[in-house]
């Protein structure tokens, strides 16, 4: 049922139990899903389960019906390995007990029909039982709702009163240094602040998140991600995609707020993510084990086999040149971080990483996708140049 909070809503539908054949074997496994059915309108879909540490070892696929039509899509894959995007083990956010496991949410556009199937991996050898699926599997259908600020164009530029609260304008180098409280004689390595669409600008429902904020000491590094929400969105829809991710992270994943600190769309627009202040070292939930003293940047899209738009890579460079410059970090440099625990580095392990790293550098995952990961060298070089290095 819809949750009724704010302009959007979330429908949560339990997946069908194991098939009779699977039940006859006594195994709590087998394909789960939902047959095609009409539902309330939604635009984003994902699957969640009870245990945030459980891995969905299998495939999850959905097909959807475009709203107001009889047209069904083909089967689309959901990214099943999403546990690496989460609050760190031992953090207050994770200890609250509301965190759940999930696939990545997929943007499908306005839809009113859905079908889903979740299949476990085949046994590793003949006669073995199928790999168990996580318990408590639910389909989550997210309607991001309307942006209260309807007077925006495709790039997010406000056409109504109150533009300053919706967008932080770009600053030149002198203005950036003054805004950071730096004396002209200091000559810091800091890039000009890029234009940033604020949470108000993309229409964040502030009733969803927790009221408080959690910050770390500084920002030593940036982890670049892809959102794995698919590439079937226009720049005019980017705010809706972000509102959908926000609602999925909070209502479906059980996080305190949107997990990423910043997001970038295909047109190079930059968006404020987790609340707490764009200049502050806000603790995110983007790279399991490495959320302390880092920031997470998600490029909207899926970049395993598709190249990221050049505008998006440039935006990552401009954002990191400014944000990392606030703490004196060199985009082409290296940094040592202490792992909070994950599948690649155990808790307490000191790890040397690039100041601008891909998610896969801190966790065993294919995020941010092979095509975006290959562009990080370019992003580092451009970011350092913008800092004046």
């Amino acid at each position: 049922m819809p949750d009724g909070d704010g302009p959007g809503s979330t429908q949560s539908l339990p997946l069908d139990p194991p098939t009779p054949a699977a039940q006859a074997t006594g195994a709590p496994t087998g394909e789960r899903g939902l047959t095609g059915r009409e539902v309330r309108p939604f635009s984003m879909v994902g699957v969640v389960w009870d245990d945030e540490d459980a891995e969905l070892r299998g495939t999850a696929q959905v097909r959807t019906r475009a709203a107001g039509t009889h047209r069904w899509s083909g089967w689309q894959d959901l990214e099943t390995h999403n546990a690496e995007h989460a609050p760190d083990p031992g953090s207050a956010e994770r200890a609250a007990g509301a965190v759940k496991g999930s696939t990545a949410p997929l943007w499908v556009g306005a839809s009113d029909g859905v079908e889903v199937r979740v299949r476990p991996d085949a046994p590793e050898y003949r006669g073995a039982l199928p790999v168990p699926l996580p318990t408590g599997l639910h389909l989550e259908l997210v309607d991001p709702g309307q942006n209260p600020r309807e007077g925006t164009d495709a790039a997010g530029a406000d056409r109504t009163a109150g533009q300053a609260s919706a967008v932080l304008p770009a600053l030149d180098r002198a203005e950036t240094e003054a805004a950071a409280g730096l004396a002209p004689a200091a000559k810091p390595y800091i890039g000009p602040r890029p234009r940033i669409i604020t949470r108000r600008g993309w229409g964040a429902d502030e009733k969803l998140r927790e009221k408080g904020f959690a910050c770390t000491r500084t920002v030593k590094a940036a982890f670049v991600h892809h959102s794995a929400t698919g590439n079937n969105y226009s720049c005019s829809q980017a705010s809706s995609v972000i509102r959908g991710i926000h609602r999925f992270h909070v209502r479906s994943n059980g996080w305190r707020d949107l997990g990423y600190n910043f997001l970038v769309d295909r047109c190079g627009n930059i968006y404020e993510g987790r609340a707490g202040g764009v200049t502050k070292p806000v603790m995110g939930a983007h790279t399991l084990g490495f959320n302390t003293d880092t920031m997470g940047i998600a490029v909207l899209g899926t970049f395993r086999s598709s190249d990221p738009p050049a505008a998006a890579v440039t935006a990552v460079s401009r954002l990191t040149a400014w944000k990392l410059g606030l703490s004196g970090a060199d985009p082409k440099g290296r940094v040592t971080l202490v792992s909070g625990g994950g599948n690649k580095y155990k808790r307490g392990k000191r790890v040397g990483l690039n100041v601008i790293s891909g998610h896969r550098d801190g966790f065993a995952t294919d995020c941010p996708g092979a095509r975006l990961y290959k562009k990080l060298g370019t992003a580092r070089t451009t970011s350092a140049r913008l800092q004046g290095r």
Side-chain angles (χ1 to χ4, degrees), residues 23 33 51 58 79 232 242 263 271 285 310 331 342 353 361 368:
Q23 289 177 323
D51 185 356
E79 171 55 66
N232 296 322
I242 295 170
L263 303 98
Y271 301 81
L353 295 165
D361 295 320

Side-chain angles (χ1 to χ4, degrees), residues 315-342:
V316 170
S317 302
R318 294 168 57 230
L319 175 59
T320 52
W322 166 71
K323 181 70 173 182
L324 292 172
L326 294 177
S327 55
D330 180 355
K332 293 175 65 177
R334 299 276 294 177
V335 65
T336 299
L337 300 175
V338 178
S339 172

Side-chain angles (χ1 to χ4, degrees), residues 254-271:
W255 302 349
R256 67 186 304 166
D257 194 1
L258 182 65
Y260 308 113
N261 298 104
F262 295 93
L263 303 98
V264 172
D265 70 21
R266 65 194 311 154
C267 292
N269 297 304
I270 300 170
Y271 301 81

Side-chain angles (χ1 to χ4, degrees), residues 96-276:
V99 177
K100 294 184 179 297
S102 78
T103 67
L106 179 69
W107 178 260
V108 294
S111 305
D112 58 13
V114 68
E115 184 173 4
V116 62
R117 60 191 185 197
V118 181
R119 293 172 170 169
D121 285 339
E124 295 183 1
Y125 55 91
R126 188 181 300 274
L129 294 176
V131 177
L133 292 173
T135 60
L137 289 167
H138 278 69
L139 183 68
E140 300 280 286
L141 303 174
V142 178
D143 171 15
Q146 295 296 311
N147 187 341
R149 306 185 61 82
E150 288 300 328
T152 58
D153 64 15
D158 193 7
R159 294 175 179 165
T160 62
Q163 178 176 357
S165 62
V167 177
L168 294 178
L171 301 179
D172 62 25
R173 186 176 297 276
E175 292 170 330
T176 298
E177 293 173 1
L182 300 172
K187 296 188 181 304
Y189 292 112
I190 180 171
R193 188 183 76 187
R195 179 178 178 274
I196 300 172
I197 300 170
T198 67
R199 288 171 65 91
R200 188 180 184 204
W202 56 260
D205 181 358
E206 300 296 359
K207 295 187 297 296
L208 286 177
R209 66 171 177 83
E210 291 184 6
K211 292 182 179 179
F213 308 113
C215 290
T216 57
R217 296 177 299 276
T218 186
V219 177
K220 296 180 178 179
F223 284 98
V224 178
H225 307 255
H226 66 173
S227 63
T229 48
N231 301 319
N232 296 322
Y233 73 94
S234 64
C235 292
S236 62
Q237 294 176 313
S239 289
S240 295
V241 176
I242 295 170
R243 290 197 305 278
I245 295 173
H246 182 208
R247 178 168 282 273
F248 191 86
H249 282 182
V250 177
R251 287 298 190 203
S252 303
N253 287 127
W255 302 349
R256 67 186 304 166
D257 194 1
L258 182 65
Y260 308 113
N261 298 104
F262 295 93
L263 303 98
V264 172
D265 70 21
R266 65 194 311 154
C267 292
N269 297 304
I270 300 170
Y271 301 81
E272 175 187 11
R274 179 164 287 209

